[in-house]
């Protein structure tokens, strides 16, 4: 290759690496010789010389013992958008599913398997977050779903989204709107969403009310049981805001099974924008995060850390998706 271009081997390496000290005519000669010889740059070797792997690790935290096919569809959508963002920036992605101390592992950077790590998943697995929170200083990582403000998190604009959902129901004529969720869950977004709902209700001169979910159950079952408890309590209501789509879908099923007409008698709105909501009966009105922006923010913040730069924004914009579970 060097002989064909009439230069030294080091000049070839620097020309193909984009070294600005190489003149344009020399670079052109090297590139033409490489094309004639069908020469391919060894990217792995080049990355190692730069002290980088060109790979990002993505860890998906699951509930202990959870079947992977039962993961919240939101996390699969976020996984896809994060992998796409990494690929667009020239990185490969190593994906791992972890659920218990037997398989917790985050030393990708130390073992030179990856330059940094994105951690996504349920906040309910406190052992997992305890593990990742104790990784060595200097570990490059960002996360979605973290229970601690001390972690390098990225989240949806949860409070603004909840206010948007609640105001939508108020405009559509619902007045006795109940939030199904939790203000003490490790899922910090649930507290932020309740706060947004409560602020919108108070702005309208109305009393917010939280129907609490039971811990340790699948989200849809939490929503179903919370809706049943609400109905059986005798408290008047004409609207439900579920702090996640799966919770809202569980409530929707319970309402329908008990003869409530949705959206005529009760309006229902969720949060997350999972695809299943588009196919429920009626289709679920929801607040949707911009998944493309979410994946890009996670990757860009991580790349900034790797490069020793100031990380970018932390909040992902949301939008209201109006479907059939609220009045026209």
């Amino acid at each position: 290759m060097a002989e064909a271009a009439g230069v030294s081997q080091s000049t070839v390496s620097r020309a193909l690496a984009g070294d600005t000290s190489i003149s344009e005519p020399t670079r052109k000669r090297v590139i033409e010789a490489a094309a004639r010889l069908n020469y391919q740059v060894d990217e792995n070797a080049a990355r190692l010389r730069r002290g980088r792997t060109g790979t990002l690790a993505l860890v998906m935290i699951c509930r202990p013992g959870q079947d992977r096919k039962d993961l919240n569809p939101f996390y699969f959508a976020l996984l896809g958008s994060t992998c796409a963002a990494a690929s667009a920036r020239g990185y490969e992605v190593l994906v791992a599913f972890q659920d218990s101390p037997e398989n917790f592992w985050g030393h990708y950077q130390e073992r030179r398997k990856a330059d940094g790590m994105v951690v996504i998943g349920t906040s309910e697995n406190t052992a997992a977050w305890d593990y990742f929170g104790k990784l060595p200083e200097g570990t490059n990582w960002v996360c979605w779903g973290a229970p601690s403000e001390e972690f390098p998190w990225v989240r949806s604009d949860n409070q603004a989204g909840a206010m948007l959902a609640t105001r939508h129901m108020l405009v559509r004529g619902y007045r006795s709107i109940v939030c199904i969720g939790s203000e003490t869950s490790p899922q910090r977004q649930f507290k932020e969403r309740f706060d947004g709902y409560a602020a919108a209700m108070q702005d309208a001169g109305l009393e917010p009310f939280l129907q609490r979910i039971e811990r340790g159950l699948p989200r849809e079952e939490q929503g179903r049981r919370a809706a049943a408890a609400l109905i059986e309590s005798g408290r008047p209501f004409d609207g439900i805001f579920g702090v996640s789509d799966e919770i809202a879908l569980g409530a929707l099923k319970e309402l329908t099974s008990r003869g409530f007409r949705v959206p005529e008698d009760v309006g229902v709105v969720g949060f997350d924008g999972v695809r299943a909501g588009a196919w429920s009966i009626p289709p679920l009105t929801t607040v949707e995060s911009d998944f493309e922006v979410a994946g890009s923010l996670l990757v860009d913040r991580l790349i900034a850390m790797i490069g020793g730069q100031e990380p970018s924004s932390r909040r992902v914009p949301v939008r209201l998706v109006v479907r059939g579970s609220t009045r026209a």
Side-chain angles (χ1 to χ4, degrees), residues 3 23 28 44 52 60 78 82 89 93 109-110 120 141 146 148 171-172 198 208 210 215 219-220 223 312 320:
E3 183 179 351
S23 68
K28 184 177 180 182
N44 288 330
R52 301 280 173 82
M60 180 75 76
L78 188 56
T82 303
R89 290 153 179 77
V93 181
Q109 191 176 331
E110 295 171 57
I120 295 171
W141 73 297
S148 172
V171 167
R172 298 298 170 94
L210 177 65
R215 292 284 301 276
R219 295 288 181 220
E220 192 168 306
S312 57
L320 183 70

Side-chain angles (χ1 to χ4, degrees), residues 45-68:
R47 287 165 180 162
L48 287 172
R49 285 195 296 272
R50 296 193 298 267
R52 301 280 173 82
T53 66
T55 299
L56 303 179
L58 194 156
V59 174
M60 180 75 76
I61 295 178
C62 315
R63 293 172 183 267
Q66 184 178 34
D67 193 318
R68 304 307 185 244

Side-chain angles (χ1 to χ4, degrees), residues 72-75 77-78 144 156 158 187 189-190 193 219 241-248 269-275 277 284-291 318-319 321 323:
N72 187 332
F74 174 85
Y75 292 126
L78 188 56
W144 185 290
S156 297
N158 293 301
Q187 298 273 16
Q189 62 265 32
F190 285 4
R193 293 171 189 179
R219 295 288 181 220
F241 168 57
V243 294
S244 80
D245 278 352
E246 289 193 302
I247 287 172
V269 179
F271 199 123
D272 279 338
V274 301
R275 289 190 178 275
L284 181 66
T285 295
T286 186
V287 175
E288 180 180 72
S289 298
D290 189 319
F291 286 106
V318 296
R319 68 187 183 100
V321 181
R323 299 192 181 117

Side-chain angles (χ1 to χ4, degrees), residues 27 55 60 62 162-163 165 172 174 199 207 247 258 307 309:
R27 188 191 321 282
T55 299
M60 180 75 76
C62 315
M163 293 180 74
R172 298 298 170 94
Y174 302 105
E207 179 188 2
I247 287 172
R258 292 183 179 237
Q309 301 168 354

Side-chain angles (χ1 to χ4, degrees), residues 181-254:
S182 171
E183 81 278 44
T184 59
S185 168
Q187 298 273 16
R188 296 190 69 87
Q189 62 265 32
F190 285 4
K191 173 66 164 60
E192 293 178 352
R193 293 171 189 179
F194 171 71
D195 288 345
Y197 149 82
M201 290 291 283
Q202 289 164 352
D203 287 349
L206 299 170
E207 179 188 2
F209 179 78
L210 177 65
Q211 182 68 46
R212 291 176 176 83
I213 55 176
E214 297 179 43
R215 292 284 301 276
L217 297 171
R219 295 288 181 220
E220 192 168 306
E221 180 63 13
Q222 287 177 327
R224 190 195 68 76
R225 291 195 185 192
L230 176 63
I231 293 165
E232 290 162 9
S233 73
R235 181 184 181 88
F237 69 96
D238 63 0
I240 287 177
F241 168 57
V243 294
S244 80
D245 278 352
E246 289 193 302
I247 287 172
L249 288 169
L252 180 60
K253 287 182 179 179
E254 184 66 17

